Amino acid sequence: MRRRLPLVMAVVAVVVGLGLVLGVVFTRKETAGAAASPRLPAAATVTTGTSVSAGSVPLTKETAAPPPIRHNPKPYVFPIIGKASYAHSHHDYPASDIISACGNPVVSPVNGTVLEVNLVDTWNAKDNLGATRGGLGWSILGEDGVRYYGSHMSSIGADIRPGVRVAAGQQIGKVGRTGDTTVCHLHFGISPVCQRVKDWWIRRGVIWPWPYLDSWKTSSPKSAVNEIKNWQAKNGCPTKPLVDP
């Protein structure tokens, strides 16, 4: 019994030693594998300032999806939110002065595309130029092919710029009294598109808006398309003011 003990102890020592050697080998392999597969950072930041998760595709100016085009199924909307009134007349040429408190929201009357925006009030009584008389203003080409114009605004939204799509009822800015006026109101005109921009003598209005404003308050809005077509067939696109101021 005493002679077998040294042999057993020798065998145990060999097994323990082999285990230690194998443990070291496996540990080195695992360490090498971890070094070959570094962890991804938790987040990354792209030059546009958009924070994205690791592994996702960052949005850039090239890959970012364009904003959806907003569209109102209702084709025409009254252009002011809040209490407003207007006469069935206007000085010198057809248009409507919609009287409303300064600061009331002005909205796009149609689904369409912004043609012009005037952000600086340069009118002065000494010169009294027709081109600047409206102060801050805008024009929109409706999906119906008719141009709509509003002016004397106190402010215009930062997102309202030429080429931008707008929806009927989308806010454009606020009622004001810039340009040639001392009363808070929105000058509103309807015209053919003609030159698209800078033809202020047509843009300010060629037909009476009040029948359309009346109907836009109802559930069956009236379109100015036919009247504008008839006006343009008769008058074309004049290259200078027919009436000034």
Side-chain angles (χ1 to χ4, degrees):
M1 194 66 181
R2 290 180 180 178
R3 291 179 180 178
R4 293 180 180 179
L5 185 59
L7 180 59
V8 172
M9 293 179 65
V11 172
V12 171
V14 171
V15 172
V16 171
L18 182 60
L20 291 173
V21 171
L22 291 175
V24 170
V25 172
F26 288 135
T27 300
R28 287 179 178 174
K29 287 183 177 180
E30 289 174 359
T31 303
S37 303
R39 292 182 178 179
L40 290 173
T45 302
V46 295
T47 55
T48 57
T50 304
S51 179
V52 297
S53 300
S56 66
V57 178
L59 292 178
T60 66
K61 291 181 179 179
E62 290 74 24
T63 61
I69 295 175
R70 289 170 288 189
H71 188 277
N72 189 341
K74 188 175 181 179
Y76 302 105
V77 173
F78 191 81
I80 290 179
I81 296 176
K83 187 176 180 180
S85 62
Y86 49 91
H88 291 181
S89 62
H90 188 267
H91 63 83
D92 303 311
Y93 59 91
S96 287
D97 288 333
I98 308 175
I99 309 300
S100 189
C102 276
N104 276 350
V106 174
V107 301
S108 175
V110 291
N111 298 300
T113 304
V114 178
L115 291 176
E116 291 182 278
V117 177
N118 184 32
L119 301 174
V120 180
D121 183 6
T122 59
W123 181 84
N124 66 77
K126 181 180 178 181
D127 297 330
N128 192 28
L129 299 177
T132 63
R133 202 169 289 136
L136 275 62
W138 48 268
S139 65
I140 293 172
L141 174 59
E143 289 183 348
D144 57 5
V146 174
R147 177 169 50 176
Y148 300 87
Y149 171 65
S151 63
H152 303 306
M153 308 274 287
S154 62
S155 64
I156 295 176
D159 57 337
I160 305 301
R161 296 295 181 267
V164 170
R165 292 276 300 177
V166 291
Q170 177 183 337
Q171 184 167 352
I172 298 173
K174 296 179 180 180
V175 173
R177 53 185 179 189
T178 56
D180 184 16
T181 185
T182 58
V183 178
C184 296
H185 75 284
L186 176 70
H187 172 97
F188 187 70
I190 303 176
S191 65
V193 68
C194 287
Q195 293 180 195
R196 298 180 68 89
V197 298
K198 297 184 178 180
D199 53 346
W200 59 267
W201 56 94
I202 300 174
R203 178 189 63 197
R204 65 186 180 181
V206 300
I207 65 172
W208 293 108
W210 65 262
Y212 305 101
L213 293 172
D214 285 353
S215 72
W216 295 349
K217 294 178 178 180
T218 70
S219 58
S220 56
K222 185 177 180 180
S223 169
V225 170
N226 288 336
E227 188 175 359
I228 285 294
K229 285 182 178 179
N230 292 336
W231 184 94
Q232 191 169 11
K234 180 180 178 180
N235 299 281
C237 287
T239 58
K240 60 182 181 179
L242 302 178
V243 176
D244 190 18

